[in-house]
Each structure stands twice: as structure tokens, then as C-alpha cells.
Amino acid sequence: MPGVTILGFCEDDEYLPEYGTVVVRDVYREDLLPSLGNELLGELATNALSGTIATAGDGWLHGTAGDPCQTVRWEAHDEPPDVRLGDWEDIVETPFHSRSGVVGLGTLTGGTFGDELSLGAKGLFRVRVCRKAADDGEEGDVWLIQSWPAPGTPEAPRWLKRTRAAVHPANPGWQQVLGYHVIEVSWFFTLAGMQRPDGWLDEPLPDEPRPSAGVCAQLGVDPPRTRRDAIPLLVAAGLIVDDGAGRFSPGTPRRATEALDLPGELAARVDADAVRSAYIWLAADVTGIAAWSNPARIEDLAALLAVPGETIEPLLEYAAEDNLIQRGNGTVTALPRPPL
């Protein structure tokens, strides 16, 4: 865009996320601006996570990454820069408030580190967060974060492009039914690079937690005594698939409550966790919109989130049940994190 000036940048091509989260924060300066006065925009002010791509508030930005190293670049501009949508998998724009006018990469449990970036001003900014997978042979994702001053009333966060699913696959709940130690056997076959000592499969399964005899009977297998004994159980549950030559690949299991007759309390936990795993990241996006809009109109959410309209009602049901939002007359308001 003619006339747009890049004021500076900071970058780290080996940024290691803590708890799978890219973190950018204000760098402390003595002449800080006052906070925005909206407590819902404070870092960790709500129970929401970092969203499907990224969320931001008063002095912080969190991006959803993963465990591998990431490549992160933040550019400060004086006007909105161009973006080529085809170069990126996922893009979101969000307000961001900087009290110091200087930002730096950080971690969830620590401060900032490395190079600092002057944004050229203090106050309200619009921030565009772009994410894509790294090139073949490289790990993690590549992030481009671009900011420019945006004084006045903040415009609500808006998701411009989605390639990765906004609603995640529901957790089928088998770990709650079979126990961690049985599920760990499936990872031995399906997670590349998972190393275990020789003879590990033939060691006895730890005592707790173990699948019940009733669950094993419903799946038509004997209760496992060793880790190797758990293989038929995992195949019967659909968690791994036997190719007939002693090799196993990941399966596509049904939800445990569909495959088994489970006790009521366990079945309720499995079903609740399935809903949570599907909507928890998108619910964080809604919480961010609600916090900045205070309140947000429900009729605007599908367009802002770039999701189908039929997604909104089950999403809001989950977010309200998880105490992330409160619904009003056609609006949603973010809820603060409950005190300990």
C-alpha cells in the first residue's frame, strides 16, 4: 500500500512456546499509560484460552501454537499494510492496547525477553495475526504479526481467513474409559519418535487406572495384564488399526458413549468432555469479541468469527455452560475469571 511505512520489527525463528502459546507483552516503562479500565481485557482476566488463532487485550497477545519451535515476526506500521490472503492459512485482526508503546516476546509464566520493538506510539492498535505451517522439513508454524495505530473506539476482533478447523473434532473419551496406561500403548504405535525401553510392551500394566472387566467384556476382549495385552482392546475400541502384518496405524474411533453402555456419571463426563474439546478454542474467540465489544451482538458473531451460522448456538451453549460468557437480550458479555 503506497505511503505505508514499516517502523521496525522484531523476530525469533526459534521461539519455543510455553504451554503451546505464543506470548507477546508490553515491555515495562515508567511512563505507562493508564489501563483501558475494562478489567475483562486484562491478561488472564477470563478463563478463555488463546483462541483458534490468537486473542489480545490490554498489553498482551496470545497465539495458539503447539510444542515445536515457532518462527515469529512482529512488524510495527504507521498504517494498515497489505496482506496476501493466499500466503497464509489463518488470519485474524484484533484490537490491542499498549500502555508503553514497546512490546517483546515472552512466556506465560515469565516476562519478556530478546529484542524489543517500539510501536511508534502508545495506546490502541489494530493487530493482524497471520499463521501458516512451516516449510517441509521445518517444525512448527510461521507467524507474522502486524500492528498499526487505531485510536478511537476499538473495532471488534474479526477472523479474515480460516484453513484449520474452527470447531475441533470431539474427544471420543476413551482415555477416561480405558485409563492413561492403556492409551499410552496406542501412542507407542501411532506417535512417530516415541521411544520406550526394550521389553516395555511386555511389562505389567500399572495397577491404576485400569479398564473395568465390564468394559472389556462389552468389547469382546479379556482384561489386559500387560501392555501387549492391551493391543486387542485398543483395536476393538477402534483406536488403532491392525494392518495384518503386526503394524498398527491410528484409527477413527466412535465416541465411547456410543460404543459402550457406561455408568451414568462416567457417560456424562465423556459427553461433556467431547463438547468441551470441540468448542473450547472457538469459545475463547467469542470471549475476546465479547470483552472488546462489551457486550457483543449475537447476530454479528458468525461474520466476525468466519464460521457458519449454525455453529453459533451450540458454541454459545458451551461458552455459557463453561462460565466464559453471559447471554443477554441478543447479546453476549464476557465473564471474569472467578476468584480462587
Side-chain angles (χ1 to χ4, degrees):
M1 179 180 298
V4 175
T5 301
I6 181 169
L7 305 176
F9 66 90
C10 65
E11 61 184 344
D12 187 342
D13 58 5
E14 292 186 346
Y15 175 83
L16 186 61
E18 186 180 44
Y19 298 105
T21 306
V22 172
V23 177
V24 184
R25 289 199 187 95
D26 263 350
V27 176
Y28 176 78
R29 293 290 187 268
E30 291 186 355
D31 56 343
L32 294 174
L33 290 179
S35 69
L36 282 175
N38 181 348
E39 293 183 356
L40 294 169
L41 295 173
E43 189 175 18
L44 307 181
T46 72
N47 272 335
L49 302 179
S50 49
T52 53
I53 307 171
T55 53
D58 195 354
W60 60 272
L61 181 144
H62 293 173
T64 298
D67 295 329
C69 284
Q70 313 283 305
T71 298
V72 183
R73 176 183 171 99
W74 183 308
E75 298 177 350
H77 295 262
D78 60 349
E79 297 285 348
D82 282 337
V83 61
R84 294 175 57 176
L85 296 181
D87 290 346
W88 301 95
E89 295 177 7
D90 305 292
I91 304 174
V92 60
E93 286 187 1
T94 177
F96 171 79
H97 184 244
S98 176
R99 298 174 63 196
S100 68
V102 182
V103 297
L105 285 165
T107 60
L108 278 177
T109 59
T112 58
F113 59 84
D115 294 336
E116 300 175 357
L117 173 62
S118 172
L119 302 179
K122 302 176 184 178
L124 283 165
F125 293 82
R126 191 74 173 173
V127 173
R128 180 188 297 140
V129 183
C130 308
R131 181 185 65 186
K132 65 180 178 180
D135 293 338
D136 290 345
E138 302 291 334
E139 63 178 1
D141 287 327
V142 176
W143 298 76
L144 174 63
I145 306 170
Q146 300 170 307
S147 62
W148 59 92
T153 302
E155 181 185 347
R158 179 180 292 271
W159 282 254
L160 304 182
K161 181 179 181 181
R162 292 187 184 276
T163 300
R164 306 179 195 187
V167 178
H168 289 209
N171 184 343
W174 286 99
Q175 184 165 325
Q176 296 190 55
V177 174
L178 302 181
Y180 170 84
H181 300 294
V182 169
I183 298 298
E184 187 183 23
V185 176
S186 72
W187 299 338
F188 177 80
F189 297 105
T190 60
L191 291 183
M194 186 174 188
Q195 300 296 320
R196 287 293 183 263
D198 292 342
W200 181 79
L201 276 177
D202 295 307
E203 294 176 357
L205 273 173
D207 289 336
E208 296 292 341
R210 281 201 181 194
S212 69
V215 164
C216 294
Q218 289 186 64
L219 292 173
V221 297
D222 294 329
R225 297 180 179 275
T226 67
R227 292 188 176 97
R228 191 178 299 276
D229 293 341
I231 294 173
L233 178 58
L234 292 165
V235 171
L239 289 159
I240 59 175
V241 177
D242 187 352
D243 71 354
R247 292 185 296 269
F248 299 90
S249 57
T252 307
R254 291 186 295 162
R255 191 181 301 181
T257 50
E258 297 173 356
L260 299 170
D261 181 15
L262 297 174
E265 183 178 344
L266 177 58
R269 290 204 310 270
V270 168
D271 286 338
D273 193 54
V275 174
R276 181 178 187 271
S277 62
Y279 289 105
I280 187 170
W281 301 103
L282 191 57
D285 294 347
V286 168
T287 306
I289 293 173
W292 278 106
S293 303
N294 200 25
R297 298 189 307 173
I298 292 175
E299 65 185 63
D300 297 335
L301 293 178
L304 291 174
L305 292 166
V307 298
E310 58 267 25
T311 302
I312 298 303
E313 186 57 34
L315 168 64
L316 295 184
E317 288 182 8
Y318 163 75
E321 179 70 21
D322 206 32
N323 295 316
L324 294 171
I325 61 160
Q326 179 176 317
R327 299 181 67 163
N329 185 20
T331 63
V332 291
T333 304
L335 292 176
R337 183 187 296 269
L340 294 176

